Amino acid sequence: MTTMNTDQNYQNCVKHFTALKDKYQANNYQDFSPNSPLYFILRKADLGIEILDLEYIWLQKENLLATVELIRTEQQQRIKDRVDLGVEFTKLKSKYQVNNDHISWTVSPLYFILCKVDSGNFLNEREFNWLISNGFKKVNSIAIENQKFISLKSKYNANKYQDSHSDSPLYSILKKIDISERLTELEYKWLIEQELSETLEFVKQQEATRRNEFIRLKEKYQATKYKTNSLSTPLYPILQKLEAEENLIDTELTWLKEQELIETITIAEEKEKTRQFTALKLKYQATEYEDLSPKSHLYKVLKNIDSGNSLGGQDVNFLKKRKLLETIKLANDKYINHLKSKIEENELLTDSEIEWLKNNGREDIITFAKQKHFSALKRKYGLIDPSLPLEPYYTIMVKLEKEERLDPVLVVQLIETEMLSPGGKIAITYYRLEAEFLEQEIKRTGHKWHIPTASSYWRKAHEPEQALKLTNLDLGKIKENHLKSAISVTRGGAFRDCYKLDDAEICALQAIKYQADSHHPYTLMGAICYDRYEYEKGSYWFEQAIQRGADIEDIDSEIKRVIKNEKNDDKRHEAAEYLLKKDLKRYAWAKDYLKKQQDKK
């Protein structure tokens, strides 16, 4: 048995050798033994294995030159074919946007898969999985799109169009046909140019269907007065939107108005309101109420709720009668959240909002609103004391914010807590409001004794220009000398506030002429001299003021104010030294300014 197998193998090798000799033109070589070197060389050549130089030399010695030429030609062709395959693979990778594959095409399945995709063949599940698992998501997507394209070509009889790549113009056209979307004129023309007549039949059928639909919609939405049945008219997509329960935009409604399709507009508005009503019923848990007509009172109530408004008494009763208690709760919660948002943004609650909170037992929110607003007002008016009580200061600041005058009790409380001392924002606002009030009173009553008081208030409000404007009068028309003196004094004080000391002096001296026994103009002259660093003269005028009834404490307060407001440290130091030399005990407070000067050194 073994001998028979051996003989058979030998005969097969002889046949194979004979065939190879014939293929490679080596028939003049007489040796037919499979053990021949020629058989070995020819088998290598047939398998595409490179022939070595010593093997070529042997063939040449055996005078097998034609065989040498054939083998060399064949191997060169194989090399060329191999290079061509590599180039083709590179092109395919570029076409299908493969940037992350560096494996040789000879061992990677990618080449075969790309060939299948490019030729329009469907990939199987295993091939799709291989693409995904190896990170070729882009190729996978393209392959899926190509297969969709091929399916659409088959579905719409477009197989005569050879290109099956998804970036073809035909693919976008077929996708539009598949969802019954109208083609553009250019797309329609393209199909004609490609002689895809069977595909065009589908398009024509769809156009006929659309035209019938358009006629039906015109009747349904009372637009038959618009005679054109062209599908290119704006009316067709508008009616489609209405049929799809979509809201129309302003430009579409304007177009309908221009075409005088009032009935269509009315239907559109009713449908939109009905959709809104349905959504609001769901949102505010009123779905048990079956009426869907926008004319229903419930629709108005729900719209009011959705706008963030509070429910009125009649609306609450309306909802209670229909057992829509959860709707009431949701409405109240929404309104409360609206009020909280206002409070967080430092907006004031209105009287009606506060009244609603009281009626609904939400005094906690009123308190929260006051505390939030109180904090904001404290920052605005420069009140940094964290222990400051809410009342009466909240009431005071709210009134000032509303530009309302303060009640006498509130003014007394400010005086007691020294909040009307010069410079504070509350004091400035208070005095401005008082000055404005007195100016109105002057216009209303003509009572001129309000003039010096209003001027004084303008100065305390840090608006001396307004005081100067108010006191710019012809004093010759005023009979009372003491009133003329008072106006001159306050006008001089305003000039002094503006650092116009010469003008201030003129006013002070005029005031002395009008009323020599009043201490006010002398006090003004003393302050002017101190402002000029003329301390001896200033002390003289202050003594004259004291002799005429001025309170020593008031004089000293004025001197303190002058020293405090002096911006030049050296001049302040000079004034302090003068005062301490004059009366060490009376002006002991001036030592602080000497100490501050020493600390700076």
Side-chain angles (χ1 to χ4, degrees), residues 143-395:
I144 292 171
E145 289 301 310
N146 285 1
Q147 293 188 184
K148 289 179 181 177
F149 184 19
I150 293 166
S151 297
L152 288 174
K153 281 171 65 177
S154 176
K155 182 177 181 180
Y156 294 106
N157 296 337
N159 286 322
K160 66 168 64 176
Y161 186 78
Q162 295 302 311
D163 187 0
S164 296
H165 198 270
S166 58
D167 60 2
S168 164
L170 180 60
Y171 185 37
S172 60
I173 291 173
L174 294 179
K175 285 194 291 184
K176 290 177 76 171
I177 294 172
D178 201 48
I179 59 172
S180 296
E181 184 178 332
R182 294 194 72 214
L183 302 186
T184 65
E185 187 176 341
L186 287 175
E187 290 169 333
Y188 194 87
K189 186 177 179 182
W190 189 90
L191 289 176
I192 294 173
E193 289 171 351
Q194 304 302 317
E195 298 182 355
L196 295 171
S197 57
E198 294 181 62
T199 308
L200 279 166
E201 284 302 315
F202 286 97
V203 177
K204 291 174 181 177
Q205 289 173 12
Q206 289 181 349
E207 286 290 288
T209 302
R210 290 191 195 96
R211 195 165 287 107
N212 292 333
E213 180 197 27
F214 186 23
I215 294 168
R216 180 184 67 82
L217 292 175
K218 283 172 68 177
E219 292 177 357
K220 180 176 180 179
Y221 294 104
Q222 300 181 29
T224 51
K225 66 169 65 175
Y226 188 79
K227 300 303 180 184
T228 303
N229 286 329
S230 170
L231 298 176
S232 301
T233 175
L235 181 59
Y236 182 44
I238 289 174
L239 297 181
Q240 283 182 309
K241 285 184 72 173
L242 290 178
E243 187 73 356
E245 299 294 335
E246 296 177 18
N247 294 336
L248 301 185
I249 60 176
D250 290 341
T251 53
E252 292 168 334
L253 289 169
T254 300
W255 187 89
L256 290 173
K257 288 177 184 177
E258 290 170 351
Q259 310 309 313
E260 298 182 356
L261 296 173
I262 307 304
E263 296 85 355
T264 308
I265 294 172
T266 302
I267 294 171
E269 290 174 345
E270 286 295 308
K271 288 174 74 69
E272 182 174 349
K273 288 178 181 178
T274 301
R275 285 192 293 275
Q276 287 179 351
F277 191 14
T278 302
L280 288 172
K281 285 172 65 178
L282 184 63
K283 183 176 182 179
Y284 295 105
Q285 299 189 24
T287 51
E288 294 179 9
Y289 190 81
E290 294 181 358
D291 188 357
L292 278 175
S293 171
K295 295 178 181 179
S296 164
H297 182 65
L298 179 62
Y299 177 53
K300 296 176 183 177
V301 172
L302 295 181
K303 278 190 69 177
N304 188 52
I305 294 171
D306 205 52
S307 298
N309 299 318
S310 61
L311 286 174
Q314 290 182 343
D315 290 341
V316 171
N317 291 333
F318 174 85
L319 294 172
K320 283 182 177 178
K321 285 180 181 179
R322 286 148 186 84
K323 299 180 180 180
L324 297 174
L325 303 181
E326 189 62 27
T327 305
I328 297 172
K329 181 180 180 302
L330 290 171
N332 290 345
D333 289 345
K334 185 177 179 66
Y335 186 59
I336 287 169
N337 289 333
H338 165 70
L339 296 181
K340 286 180 178 178
S341 296
K342 279 189 68 174
I343 295 167
E344 290 293 345
E345 294 173 6
N346 288 320
E347 290 185 41
L348 289 177
L349 298 181
T350 64
D351 292 340
S352 61
E353 290 168 341
I354 293 171
E355 185 67 22
W356 186 90
L357 289 169
K358 286 179 180 178
N359 293 338
N360 285 272
R362 296 308 302 263
E363 285 82 0
D364 58 317
I365 295 178
I366 298 172
T367 303
F368 171 65
K370 283 184 177 181
Q371 291 172 339
K372 185 79 174 174
H373 192 216
F374 184 43
S375 297
L377 290 176
K378 284 199 298 181
R379 288 193 296 272
K380 179 176 180 179
Y381 287 95
L383 304 178
I384 59 175
D385 184 2
S387 62
L388 195 70
L390 184 71
E391 294 297 347
Y393 301 104
Y394 178 66
T395 299

Side-chain angles (χ1 to χ4, degrees), residues 1 31 35 53 94 128 158 210 247-248 338 351 359 363 392 418 420 460 494 526 528 531 560 562 565:
M1 189 75 176
D31 187 356
N35 295 324
D53 288 344
S94 176
F128 275 124
R210 290 191 195 96
N247 294 336
L248 301 185
H338 165 70
D351 292 340
N359 293 338
E363 285 82 0
E418 298 184 353
L420 285 185
K460 290 178 180 179
I528 292 169
D531 286 337
K560 276 185 182 181
V562 172
N565 293 337

Side-chain angles (χ1 to χ4, degrees), residues 479-495:
K479 295 180 179 180
E480 302 95 326
N481 281 337
H482 56 300
L483 175 56
K484 290 194 283 189
S485 178
I487 293 173
S488 297
V489 169
T490 188
R491 183 171 176 78
F495 275 127

